[in-house]
Amino acid sequence: MIRFLGAILITAGAGAWGVLSVLRLRRRAAVLHALAGALELMKSEIYDRLTPMPELMRMLSDDTPAPAGLFFGRVHEKMQSLGRRPFSALWNAALEESPELMLRQEERGVLRELGLFLGRYDAGEQKSALTRVQRRLEEYARRADLEWDAKARVHVFLGVAAGVFVSVLLL
């Protein structure tokens, strides 16, 4: 009886591991969608309203769902040292301190590139940089959605199968 209960627990644990893997894939796609949406808001605020960067970062930290909002909050906090360090350094530091964004290297590179443009050029050039980065993030989000669609069932199946395999070995 105890062996049978152990086998059930091992199978359930491995199945949960597969489900958590699927949830990570889904969350990564949601983060990319949230970042792309935040860039759309940034574009309109910078180009149409000429919102100052500290106010914009505060607004984005409040209006963007977590964990993307946490990133903008970190940028806003770091802006206290804006005179001593350039905005791009603050942006990159906040990006490095945000592992919860679950960004791949190429996605981080695109956001680093954006940090070089923000607050440095006129509103029109910032808008074109934001548009370019937003398009790339939307493409990454689309790919993440496709990856989730393709791998969701496989991850769950592999988790359960691994649990059953280990359970059979232990019985």
Side-chain angles (χ1 to χ4, degrees):
M1 180 66 179
I2 291 178
R3 285 180 153 186
F4 184 67
L5 183 61
I8 290 173
L9 290 175
I10 288 172
T11 303
W17 175 78
V19 170
L20 289 175
S21 176
V22 169
L23 292 176
R24 273 193 303 277
L25 289 173
R26 187 73 222 138
R27 183 171 176 173
R28 194 175 109 58
V31 166
L32 289 168
H33 284 293
L35 286 171
L39 294 186
E40 179 66 32
L41 181 60
M42 284 177 79
K43 190 169 39 174
S44 66
E45 288 292 326
I46 288 173
Y47 190 72
D48 297 334
R49 297 188 56 214
L50 301 174
T51 305
M53 201 57 69
E55 182 182 335
L56 179 59
M57 291 300 127
R58 182 192 50 75
M59 181 177 42
L60 287 172
S61 72
D62 294 340
D63 295 344
T64 307
L70 297 174
F71 164 68
F72 293 114
R74 285 188 184 102
V75 174
H76 181 258
E77 289 171 9
K78 292 184 178 305
M79 291 191 77
Q80 307 304 320
S81 63
L82 187 56
R84 297 182 298 271
R85 296 174 64 193
F87 180 79
S88 60
L90 303 175
W91 178 269
N92 290 337
L95 192 58
E96 292 305 315
E97 293 174 9
S98 301
E100 67 275 0
L101 293 176
M102 298 182 286
L103 298 175
R104 294 183 177 154
Q105 200 60 33
E106 62 186 331
E107 297 156 355
R108 284 187 184 279
V110 168
L111 287 173
R112 277 191 206 99
E113 177 186 315
L114 178 62
L116 296 172
F117 282 88
L118 292 176
R120 190 170 179 185
Y121 296 101
D122 69 3
E125 290 176 4
Q126 289 183 62
K127 180 182 179 184
S128 65
L130 282 163
T131 301
R132 186 173 55 252
V133 171
Q134 180 187 7
R135 281 190 200 132
R136 289 179 73 185
L137 284 179
E138 287 170 349
E139 174 61 24
Y140 293 140
R142 188 186 66 75
R143 287 183 195 168
D145 285 335
L146 291 175
E147 181 181 11
W148 177 77
D149 286 341
K151 295 182 178 180
R153 289 186 201 99
V154 173
H155 282 247
V156 172
F157 173 76
L158 287 177
V160 172
V164 169
F165 179 72
V166 170
S167 296
V168 167
L169 285 177
L170 293 176
L171 289 178

